[in-house]
Amino acid sequence: MAKIIDGKAIAAQIKEEVKAGVAEFAKQGITVTLAVIQVGEDPASCVYVRNKKRTCTELGIRSLAYEIPEQTSEEELLSLVEELNGREDVDGILVQLPLPAHISEKKVIAAIDPKKDVDGFHPYNVGALSTGEKGFLPGTPAGIIQLLKRSGIDIDGKECVVIGRSNIVGKPMAQLLLKENGTVTIAHSHTKNLPEVTRRADILIVAIGQRKMITKEFVKAGAVVIDVGMHRDENNKLCGDVDYADVFETAGAITPVPGGVGPMTIAMLMHNCLESVRLRLS
Ligand code: GUN
């Protein structure tokens, strides 16, 4: 039977730490500030942005919301990013993805000052992660490392399998596990004999985007299973990429959905906002 890894509790711990750091800066007259840009009204983005703004308020971080229309041109968005890059009172800039089809996400991400790129998506920060330089880490994979460490799960020397190779989760996840001395395999849609590969894992990170795809046949007894997915099941209940009920008896530890990885992403974003100020002043 699996130990449940409580992402909500661990995220709350991290948020308390960030809140204390933000309060310290406030005493020095420094207000940690995050600019959040949302283009259009994608329903999922509205939920994420609302959560981010609410969490900022909880932690004493000032959020500047730019909710701009779907028809905004790429040029207009780029000039807003430029303006925020130049503002000394803005520590972090976040452009909520996805962007409308007429705007290049690549161009917009590349336009953000890497020192304010609290999402860790800018090519400079992606490169820094790969070479081991200091830089911002993307929230979801960085949050997963915190989940593992704060649950007393050692990564050093472990067989780690990441399913999924996105720029936001799979690839940076593999880099971070490697940095912690894991033996890392990335599996994806072209991987042959997927269950054979995933059954090697001591630590299995699942970021496929297919609801309840990972059943016990994919999991070694006692493995740690981290579920990045978020879907609605046949009863409209939230569920992940892992069939939680099926895997529960086999896994040694598992993250629930909701209440696992999800809360960690925002907590790490807040951590990055605070870190941005620390780096600026160091
Ligand atoms: N869309 C889905 N996840 C994210 C995220 O972590 N950051 C941004 N900016 N957009 C997203």
Side-chain angles (χ1 to χ4, degrees), residues 120-150:
F121 294 167
H122 188 284
Y124 176 89
N125 286 313
V126 175
L129 170 58
S130 134
T131 55
E133 306 293 317
K134 252 194 157 50
F136 289 113
L137 301 175
T140 302
I144 291 171
I145 295 291
Q146 287 302 313
L147 275 183
L148 295 171
K149 286 190 169 174
R150 292 176 188 237

Side-chain angles (χ1 to χ4, degrees), residues 37 45 48 52 93-98 119 121 138-140 168 265 269:
I37 305 173
S45 292
Y48 291 135
K52 287 170 188 178
I93 302 170
L94 180 152
V95 180
Q96 188 64 30
L97 305 178
D119 258 331
F121 294 167
T140 302
I168 294 180
T265 303
L269 170 68

Side-chain angles (χ1 to χ4, degrees), residues 195-206:
E196 209 171 279
V197 174
T198 58
R199 275 200 306 267
R200 288 207 300 259
D202 301 310
I203 299 173
L204 179 61
I205 315 278
V206 188

